């Protein structure tokens, strides 16, 4: 019944789009101008370039593969193509037949004319209906000060309003009151389940391999699903199709190298980008062999690779992959204990672009994704092993249809087969093997179909309407146990391979509306419905490799959320200044936490879950200067995030751990001269909510604590100032090798921001000298760093 209604709804939306598109067909013959927008030096497709018809108020943007299509009445036209960071292109065309016109834009060779901080049309924030979307420039990311000189995309995102960090120096982030698992993070269409290196302090994304970064905080289009908070869509470079080049950098704790070039000029290209830390190598000489910890160490590495081949003007294939690994080794020779802890992601994406028609562009994608964590420990003759992870196989089909200059329809479908691996425990002692039947793999099928219609009704009104239907089915093999009041197993129900255990699903409508007040200001509103079928439940404030992903099952219902947003957008001084104020409210159902008093065990984690609701609301202010020698932005967020669980906090509401009342970021970049570029970042945020003991008792000589209500207290406010200077030599003669030096200072005034607080006891209760004291642990004082970047 639902499917029949859905089909009828989609058919009506599609037919209405065709009707509106064809209003003028009888009046005058129309032709289509189409093609790709590319970088003239590298041949990279440019995502989101603006193609405008001068004097007609009509235009389109290139899609995720640089393709555009616009249909116009017969006649002569002046076309302007803009993409910030590139020289504007203008050309004339006599449209008397369908034309294919690929255009190559030249990058700006100097930054004296204009320094840019994002890669979209200058008035895009006013003209687009999309709300809460930010596109980051990689050159901007590389110029900002960072800890240990390690460039990090995710930490740059934390400087935007509505996005807050997961803790001191951590790459994890929360968006508008959502948890870390509620962000859909994709690398070339592959979902990334763990984004952190070094236990979350650095992200896995190597900036040298990244072409485009888009964050959508609200009003997410219908092509995205499976998460209830935000979308982070990251596209890898395709590889230079014109010439071979190499670039990289040597930093304080890691080095990186990227090589790209044509396999067959203008036909096929590749890129390989690698990065590795050398903390283990640097520390080894300082740890004597006599030390109990000799042999301990840590390192991470990652590899991005991509190849593409152009079969014809209508067909192109892409194959990309990512492989990353962290390895932590700990040895205590005095206690004969050692541990090896590897974890990491592996993804592979195969995509086929096909142009069915000048107005119809398709993309077929196959994705493999595998995330694994392992703990291997030994002490004397005892060995102990724990492993967990998640593996996905995904097939997607997406189509872009351009019926009219102000009208674009996108539709498609998705299928994913999930394999969840919970804590699998094994071990042994001498000749005895220990393999308890403590966990079982879980399997699920996730499906989705969608249609998204973006229609500029008039110069004042633009509507984005989307509808998505998603479904999730837990399948066997799976065993459900009946237990008594003490948790002992009484009976079981066994589901065979592929047999349906439980199915969930529902409609997810989305809509965004823009009303233009004038050429420089507009009002926008959006509403979004989302379902989330897989969950990350954690006791920590950020994602760690030990955290487990769990599917929706017989016990665990999917998360669901409604998000409403409205905003006013205004540009000043010929789009030099961009400002906005956005209000949002988000209602989240079926939120998941561990029960009070939970401690890790061999039980199925879902037996330890409790369920409740959450909601968040707030205001985001944003001011950005886009051009000139001085650029940057100021972002401020005033927000509240609440949770309410019947089984937690006596059923009363409490602030979420990532609730932050005030959050502010100030980012400035200044072009001092052709050789020197300065940048600075200041951040301030209300301290994290936390639970602390309020009373202490001595029971049978043991100090016992009585804790406060959940998250009743807050840490001191967080703030710091960072500074960076980039020196780029300008040689008198043209040289193949180009290099730059980045001098960075993290936490300039050495603010000792709290990482966590614990209680320490000294003295004796029997002697009356017992003293309990709260102590603060801070991680990063002032940290200078130097990075040398090169390209040839």
């Amino acid at each position: 019944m639902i499917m029949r209604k859905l089909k009828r709804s989609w058919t009506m939306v599609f037919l209405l789009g065709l009707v509106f598109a064809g209003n003028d067909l009888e009046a005058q013959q129309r032709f289509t101008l189409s093609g790709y927008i590319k970088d003239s030096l590298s041949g990279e497709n440019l995502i989101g370039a603006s193609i405008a018809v001068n004097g007609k108020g009509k235009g389109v943007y290139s899609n995720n593969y640089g393709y555009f299509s616009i249909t116009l009445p017969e006649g002569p036209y002046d076309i302007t193509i803009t993409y910030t960071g590139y020289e504007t292109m203008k050309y004339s065309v006599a449209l008397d037949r369908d034309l294919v016109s690929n255009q190559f834009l030249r990058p700006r060779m100097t930054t004296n004319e204009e320094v840019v901080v994002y890669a979209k049309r200058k008035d895009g924030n006013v003209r687009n209906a999309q709300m809460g979307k930010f596109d980051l420039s990689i050159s901007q990311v590389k110029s900002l000060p960072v800890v240990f000189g390690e460039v990090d995309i995710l930490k740059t995102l934390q400087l935007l309003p509505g996005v807050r960090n997961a803790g001191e120096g951590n790459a994890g982030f929360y968006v508008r009151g959502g948890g870390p698992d509620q962000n859909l993070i994709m690398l070339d269409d592959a979902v990334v389940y763990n984004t952190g290196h070094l236990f979350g302090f650095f992200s896995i994304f190597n900036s040298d391999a990244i072409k485009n970064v888009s964050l959508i905080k609200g009003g997410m289009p219908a092509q995205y699903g499976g998460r209830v908070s935000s979308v982070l869509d990251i596209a890898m470079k395709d590889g230079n199709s014109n010439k071979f080049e190499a670039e990289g950098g040597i930093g304080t704790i890691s080095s990186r190298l990227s090589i790209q070039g044509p396999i067959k000029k203008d036909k096929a290209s590749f890129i390989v980008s690698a990065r590795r830390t050398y903390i283990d190598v640097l520390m080894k000489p300082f740890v004597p062999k006599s030390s109990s910890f000799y042999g301990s160490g840590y390192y991470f590495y990652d590899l991005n690779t991509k190849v593409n081949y152009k079969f014809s003007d209508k067909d192109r294939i892409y194959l990309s992959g990512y492989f990353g690994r962290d390895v932590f080794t700990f040895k205590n020779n005095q206690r004969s204990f050692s541990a090896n802890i590897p974890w990491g992601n592996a993804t592979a994406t195969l995509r086929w672009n096909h142009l069915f028609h000048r107005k119809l562009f398709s993309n077929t994608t196959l994705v493999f994704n595998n995330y694994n964590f392992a703990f291997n420990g030994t002490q004397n003759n005892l060995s102990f092993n724990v492993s967990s992870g998640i593996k996905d196989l995904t097939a997607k089909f997406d189509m872009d249809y351009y019926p009219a200059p102000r009208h674009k329809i996108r539709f498609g479908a998705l299928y994913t087969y999930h394999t969840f691996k919970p804590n699998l425990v094994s071990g042994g002692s001498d000749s005895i093997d220990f393999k308890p039947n403590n966990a079982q793999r879980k399997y699920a099928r996730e499906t989705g179909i969608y249609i998204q219609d973006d229609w500029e009704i008039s110069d004042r009104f633009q509507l984005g309407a989307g509808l998505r239907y998603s479904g999730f089915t837990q399948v066997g093999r799976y065993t459900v146990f009946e237990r008594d009041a003490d948790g002992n197993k009484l009976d079981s129900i066994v589901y065979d391979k592929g047999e349906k255990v439980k199915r969930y699903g529902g409609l997810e409508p989305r809509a965004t509306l823009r009303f233009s007040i004038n050429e420089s200001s507009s009002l926008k509103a959006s509403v979004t419905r989302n379902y989330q079928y897989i969950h990350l439940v954690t006791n920590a404030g950020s994602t760690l490799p030990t955290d487990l992903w769990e599917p929706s099952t017989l016990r665990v219902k999917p998360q669901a959320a409604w998000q409403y947003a409205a905003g006013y957008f205004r540009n000043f001084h010929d789009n030099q200044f961009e400002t906005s104020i956005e209000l949002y409210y988000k209602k989240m159902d079926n939120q998941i936490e561990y029960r009070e008093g939970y401690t890790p065990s061999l039980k199925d984690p879902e037996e330890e879950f409790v369920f409740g609701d959450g909601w968040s609301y707030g205001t985001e202010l944003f001011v950005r200067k886009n051009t000139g020698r001085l650029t940057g932005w100021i972002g401020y967020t005033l927000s509240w995030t609440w949770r309410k669980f019947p089984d937690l906090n006596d059923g009363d509401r409490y602030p979420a751990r990532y609730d932050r009342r005030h959050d502010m970021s100030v980012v400035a970049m200044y072009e001092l001269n052709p050789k020197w570029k300065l940048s600075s970042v200041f951040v301030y945020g209300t301290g994290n909510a936390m639970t602390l003991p309020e009373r202490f008792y001595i029971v049978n000589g043991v100090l016992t604590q009585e804790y406060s209500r959940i998250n009743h207290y807050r840490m001191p406010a967080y703030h710091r100032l960072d500074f960076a200077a980039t020196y780029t030599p300008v040689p008198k003669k043209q040289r193949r090798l180009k290099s730059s030096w980045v001098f960075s200072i993290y936490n300039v005034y050495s603010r000792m921001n709290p990482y966590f607080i614990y209680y320490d006891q000294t003295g004796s209760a029997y002697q009356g000298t017992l003293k309990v004291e709260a102590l603060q642990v801070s991680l990063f004082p002032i940290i200078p760093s130097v990075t040398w970047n090169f390209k040839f």
Side-chain angles (χ1 to χ4, degrees):
M1 184 66 180
I2 293 176
M3 291 302 296
R4 287 200 299 269
K5 289 182 178 179
L6 180 62
K7 290 178 180 178
R8 287 199 296 268
S9 300
W10 279 29
T11 303
M12 289 178 63
V13 173
F14 189 72
L15 290 178
L16 283 173
L18 294 179
V19 169
F20 286 118
N23 282 342
D24 298 327
L25 285 177
E26 296 182 2
Q28 188 176 4
Q29 193 171 6
R30 300 164 67 87
F31 298 101
T32 299
L33 176 67
S34 62
Y36 290 85
I37 308 299
K38 299 173 178 286
D39 183 304
S40 64
L41 299 183
S42 67
E44 288 276 353
N45 295 326
L46 299 181
I47 301 172
S50 172
I51 300 92
V53 182
N54 297 348
K56 303 295 182 181
K58 298 178 180 179
V60 294
Y61 292 96
S62 58
N63 69 4
N64 287 346
Y65 297 92
Y67 182 78
F68 76 95
S69 175
I70 184 169
T71 301
L72 300 165
E74 181 180 1
Y77 295 97
D78 293 324
I79 308 297
T80 299
I81 303 176
T82 57
Y83 191 81
T84 310
Y86 288 74
E87 295 180 3
T88 298
M89 170 176 283
K90 296 182 179 181
Y91 69 100
S92 298
V93 60
L95 200 61
D96 55 4
R97 65 187 186 279
D98 291 336
L99 292 178
V100 176
S101 177
N102 298 327
Q103 299 296 330
F104 295 83
L105 301 188
R106 295 177 58 186
R108 293 182 184 273
M109 302 310 295
T110 65
T111 53
N112 290 335
E113 298 179 31
E114 180 179 6
V115 178
V116 299
V117 295
Y118 67 108
K120 294 291 179 184
R121 58 183 286 180
K122 296 178 183 179
D123 61 347
N125 66 305
V126 173
R127 297 295 301 170
N128 294 340
Q130 181 68 59
M131 294 189 64
K133 182 177 181 181
F134 291 91
D135 294 277
L136 290 180
S137 163
I138 297 301
S139 60
Q140 168 202 9
V141 173
K142 290 184 176 181
S143 67
L144 294 178
V146 291
V147 63
F148 295 120
E150 194 68 21
V151 174
D152 201 316
I153 292 170
L154 298 190
K155 289 180 181 176
T156 304
L157 291 174
Q158 295 171 4
L159 302 175
L160 299 174
V163 183
R164 60 146 300 183
N165 61 50
E168 171 75 277
N170 201 288
F173 65 99
Y174 306 105
V175 178
R176 290 184 173 178
D181 66 321
Q182 295 176 355
N183 303 314
L184 176 63
I185 302 176
M186 299 188 301
L187 178 64
D188 267 7
D189 279 337
V191 176
V192 179
Y193 288 103
N194 187 283
T195 59
H197 283 311
L198 191 58
F199 298 96
F201 287 108
F202 302 112
S203 78
I204 66 169
F205 303 112
N206 183 351
S207 58
D208 287 348
I210 303 303
K211 175 168 64 174
N212 190 75
V213 181
S214 293
L215 173 70
I216 302 176
K217 300 183 297 181
M220 82 176 59
Q223 62 263 33
Y224 299 109
R227 300 293 188 274
V228 299
S229 187
S230 73
V231 175
L232 179 60
D233 197 345
I234 301 175
M236 287 174 52
K237 292 179 180 177
D238 299 328
N240 195 316
S241 60
N242 296 327
K243 63 179 182 179
F244 287 94
E245 64 178 15
E247 65 178 317
I250 300 175
T252 307
I253 65 169
S254 73
S255 292
R256 62 191 194 278
L257 176 65
S258 297
I259 301 173
Q260 59 180 316
I263 300 174
K264 185 176 182 181
K265 193 170 183 179
D266 297 326
K267 199 80 172 178
S269 62
F270 76 96
I271 181 171
V272 177
S273 185
R275 177 176 59 162
R276 192 195 191 279
T277 60
Y278 29 73
I279 304 174
D280 53 333
V281 178
L282 294 177
M283 293 299 296
K284 188 174 182 180
F286 299 97
V287 181
K289 294 184 178 180
S290 58
S291 171
S292 298
F293 303 104
Y294 181 78
S296 300
Y298 167 83
Y299 65 92
F300 72 75
Y301 63 89
D302 44 38
L303 175 70
N304 295 78
T305 182
K306 190 172 186 177
V307 295
N308 69 89
Y309 185 82
K310 181 181 177 182
F311 289 94
S312 68
D313 291 337
K314 293 186 176 181
D315 295 279
R316 190 159 195 161
I317 194 168
Y318 300 82
L319 177 62
S320 61
Y322 167 82
F323 182 80
R325 187 70 65 195
D326 289 66
V327 179
F328 175 59
T329 303
F330 177 79
K331 291 187 177 181
N332 188 329
N333 299 319
Q334 185 175 355
R335 297 190 177 185
S336 301
F337 175 78
S338 66
N340 178 257
I341 309 175
W343 72 92
N345 300 274
T347 71
T349 303
L350 177 64
R351 289 185 288 190
W352 170 42
N353 289 167
H354 178 67
L355 191 62
F356 283 99
H357 183 271
R358 286 172 294 277
K359 297 183 180 182
L360 192 60
F361 181 95
S362 73
N363 186 55
T364 304
T365 310
L366 300 176
V367 179
F368 169 78
N369 192 347
N370 192 20
Y371 169 68
N372 283 297
F373 166 81
F375 178 94
N376 307 303
T378 60
Q379 186 166 21
N380 296 321
N381 296 325
L382 176 67
S383 63
F384 184 76
N385 310 98
V386 180
S387 62
S388 62
I390 180 172
K391 180 170 67 175
D392 291 345
L393 294 172
T394 301
K396 294 175 60 180
F397 182 68
D398 303 284
M399 298 196 75
D400 293 345
Y401 177 57
Y402 304 86
R406 296 183 175 185
H407 202 175
K408 178 182 177 181
I409 297 174
R410 185 168 187 176
F411 55 95
L414 170 146
Y415 172 85
T416 301
Y417 186 80
H418 299 284
T419 302
F420 297 86
K421 297 175 286 183
N423 280 333
L424 304 177
V425 180
S426 62
S429 179
D430 293 326
S431 60
I432 301 174
D433 291 331
F434 175 64
K435 295 183 178 180
N437 185 19
N438 65 292
Q440 55 182 326
R441 295 174 184 260
K442 298 175 184 178
Y443 306 91
R445 302 188 184 111
E446 185 171 358
T447 56
I449 53 177
Y450 74 89
I451 184 168
Q452 176 73 30
D453 191 343
D454 296 311
W455 177 31
E456 192 169 358
I457 304 170
S458 68
D459 289 340
R460 287 190 177 272
F461 286 97
Q462 183 176 352
L463 174 67
L467 185 63
R468 183 183 184 92
Y469 180 84
S470 61
F472 189 89
T473 304
Q474 183 193 6
V475 296
R477 299 184 174 98
Y478 184 66
T479 303
V480 180
F481 295 100
E482 293 183 15
R483 299 178 184 270
D484 60 20
D486 298 322
N488 300 311
K489 297 177 182 178
L490 300 176
D491 200 356
S492 64
I493 302 174
V494 179
Y495 294 88
D496 293 331
K497 182 179 180 179
E499 184 179 357
K500 183 179 76 173
V501 180
K502 182 65 177 180
R503 175 172 173 77
Y504 298 99
L507 290 173
E508 304 176 36
R510 290 99 184 268
T512 59
L513 178 66
R514 182 219 73 202
F515 172 73
S516 293
I517 301 172
N518 51 45
E519 291 185 355
S520 60
S521 62
S522 64
L523 295 172
K524 301 181 189 181
S526 69
V527 58
T528 309
R529 174 68 166 175
N530 295 85
Y531 286 103
Q532 179 170 331
Y533 300 102
I534 61 176
H535 324 278
L536 183 72
V537 186
T538 172
N539 276 336
S542 60
T543 57
L544 294 174
T546 52
D547 295 333
L548 298 177
W549 286 91
E550 286 284 335
S552 297
T553 63
L554 280 170
R555 295 188 186 92
V556 182
K557 295 181 179 180
Q559 301 180 54
W562 282 100
Q563 181 173 218
Y564 308 89
Y568 174 68
F569 299 77
R570 176 69 185 271
N571 286 3
F572 297 91
H573 298 293
D574 192 28
N575 300 306
Q576 183 178 18
F577 291 93
E578 170 187 328
T579 66
S580 65
I581 177 171
E582 293 188 53
L583 309 176
Y584 70 89
Y585 176 83
K586 185 189 297 183
K587 179 67 173 66
M588 296 167 281
D589 301 323
N590 301 326
Q591 300 300 283
I592 305 172
E593 295 283 358
Y594 283 115
R595 62 173 176 80
E596 285 189 284
Y598 163 77
T599 55
S601 67
L602 298 183
K603 295 174 63 176
D604 190 333
E606 69 179 52
E607 297 182 29
E608 305 287 350
F609 294 164
V610 293
F611 306 94
D613 297 325
W615 62 100
S616 63
Y617 48 90
T619 302
E620 298 169 1
L621 302 174
F622 188 61
V623 179
R624 175 156 60 180
K625 187 174 185 292
N626 294 319
T627 61
R629 298 177 67 180
L630 175 64
T631 61
W633 69 83
I634 299 174
Y636 171 74
T637 305
L638 173 67
S639 63
W640 290 260
T641 303
W642 301 98
R643 294 290 184 266
K644 187 174 183 179
F645 285 66
D647 299 314
L648 297 177
N649 207 49
D650 296 327
D652 296 331
R653 73 171 188 176
Y654 60 90
R657 68 169 65 93
Y658 26 85
D659 172 70
R660 178 176 286 181
R661 197 69 63 244
H662 304 283
D663 193 49
M664 183 177 70
S665 299
V666 181
V667 178
M669 289 163 284
Y670 183 69
E671 194 80 15
L672 187 63
N673 54 48
K675 292 184 178 181
W676 286 97
K677 183 176 182 179
L678 310 179
S679 62
S680 184
V681 171
F682 175 76
V683 294
Y684 173 89
T686 302
N688 291 344
M690 62 179 177
T691 306
L692 291 176
E694 293 183 319
R695 298 175 181 84
F696 297 89
Y697 303 95
I698 304 298
V699 179
N700 297 326
V702 177
L703 184 66
T704 304
Q705 307 173 17
E706 180 181 320
Y707 280 86
S708 69
R709 299 174 71 81
I710 296 178
N711 294 337
H712 186 67
Y713 293 95
R714 286 193 180 273
M715 291 185 181
Y718 178 95
H719 54 87
R720 74 170 199 276
L721 174 69
D722 306 332
F723 177 79
T726 302
Y727 173 70
T728 305
V730 181
K732 295 181 179 180
K733 296 182 179 180
Q734 187 69 21
R735 296 179 180 177
R736 293 191 61 186
L737 177 63
K738 298 178 181 179
S739 66
S740 64
W741 292 86
V742 181
F743 305 92
S744 181
I745 301 178
Y746 180 89
N747 198 359
V748 171
Y749 53 85
S750 200
R751 160 75 174 178
M752 301 307 292
N753 287 297
Y755 188 64
F756 65 85
I757 293 176
Y758 72 98
Y759 281 83
D760 186 42
Q761 65 181 79
T762 57
S764 170
Y766 295 105
Q767 299 176 1
T769 58
L770 180 64
K771 182 180 179 181
V772 180
E773 184 180 10
L775 299 177
Q776 172 182 303
V777 174
S778 300
L779 290 183
F780 300 127
I782 182 172
I783 300 177
S785 60
V786 179
T787 302
W788 180 59
N789 297 315
F790 60 87
K791 185 176 182 179
F792 59 88

